[in-house]
Amino acid sequence: LEFGVCDGASYIAMAEHIILHNPTITLYGFDSWQGLPDETEGVWKPTRHNPGMFSASKNDVLNQLWERGADNDPRFKLIDGFFENSLTKELQSKIKNLIFVNIDVDLHKSTVELLEFIYPLLRKGVILYFDDWKDPQDSHDGKWGEHLAWEEYIQKYPNIKYETIKINNFNQRLIEITDI
């Protein structure tokens, strides 16, 4: 699953890998195509995360799939809309054997919504990638965005056991679910 497709750079990179190496994997991409929604009231955010930032063209992503011969490939699914409307129980029931979740949504609100959506799908070995954990370029000392949402999530669901397996220089991180 990829939450926050935007211009499709990482979605297309994963699609290329699937085309070449994993013919049975389905890749879902979630985006409003309208940019970021409002943040949770009272939660700090940098100005680059204002509503409407990072809007993108779904057609550009579809064209990139077309260039790779995968425009009508049923393994590649783009789900439109803000998460509060697009992350449905019906869609959740169609997702099987979750292995990887790319979280690139910047905001606390969006991260809370997607984490709740994936909770029933989590199992041992699932990898979560947080793209905007706490960007080192931001001088805000408090908790916010994806980082705050994850901390609240693991407090709400203490049965989730995990290990941080990689943190890079941009403070992006990979977390593996070790038990649930």
Side-chain angles (χ1 to χ4, degrees):
L1 307 178
E2 175 161 305
F3 293 92
V5 174
C6 197
D7 64 6
S10 56
Y11 185 86
I12 295 301
M14 287 187 287
E16 287 174 337
H17 185 81
I18 291 168
I19 290 165
L20 294 173
H21 305 289
N22 301 97
T24 62
I25 290 179
T26 299
L27 178 61
Y28 287 85
F30 300 86
D31 207 296
S32 70
W33 313 109
Q34 299 173 49
L36 297 174
D38 288 322
E39 176 59 292
T40 305
E41 187 173 334
V43 174
W44 182 86
K45 65 175 176 22
T47 56
R48 70 179 178 283
H49 294 169
N50 284 338
M53 300 298 289
F54 306 111
S55 63
S57 168
K58 179 181 179 181
N59 285 335
D60 288 348
V61 177
L62 291 172
N63 285 337
Q64 291 177 71
L65 286 171
W66 177 81
E67 289 170 0
R68 288 151 181 87
D71 53 319
N72 290 314
D73 190 323
R75 295 176 295 171
F76 305 110
K77 301 177 186 305
L78 295 173
I79 309 300
D80 304 337
F82 290 112
F83 298 160
E84 62 194 23
N85 301 315
S86 63
L87 301 182
T88 65
K89 292 280 186 198
E90 179 186 353
L91 177 59
Q92 188 182 62
S93 70
K94 295 177 182 179
I95 299 170
K96 307 292 183 214
N97 300 318
L98 183 63
I99 55 173
F100 180 77
V101 181
N102 182 359
I103 301 167
D104 188 3
V105 298
D106 308 304
L107 300 179
H108 171 267
K109 177 185 187 296
S110 300
T111 307
V112 167
E113 292 167 347
L114 78 85
L115 288 173
E116 288 298 328
F117 177 77
I118 67 169
Y119 179 75
L121 305 171
L122 289 179
R123 58 193 175 99
K124 184 178 179 177
V126 170
I127 303 293
L128 307 176
Y129 168 75
F130 288 88
D131 186 72
D132 298 290
W133 185 263
K134 276 182 89 173
D135 194 319
Q137 71 177 312
D138 296 309
S139 59
H140 183 72
D141 290 331
K143 297 175 182 177
W144 55 281
E146 293 174 6
H147 172 246
L148 174 60
W150 176 253
E151 285 203 357
E152 293 170 345
Y153 189 65
I154 59 171
Q155 287 175 7
K156 181 177 179 179
Y157 299 107
N159 58 310
I160 298 174
K161 306 299 182 217
Y162 67 95
E163 178 183 345
T164 301
I165 55 177
K166 175 83 173 164
I167 301 172
N168 68 18
N169 293 339
F170 300 105
N171 206 21
Q172 298 161 322
R173 59 195 59 217
L174 288 169
I175 293 175
E176 180 178 359
I177 302 301
T178 57
D179 200 11
I180 187 160

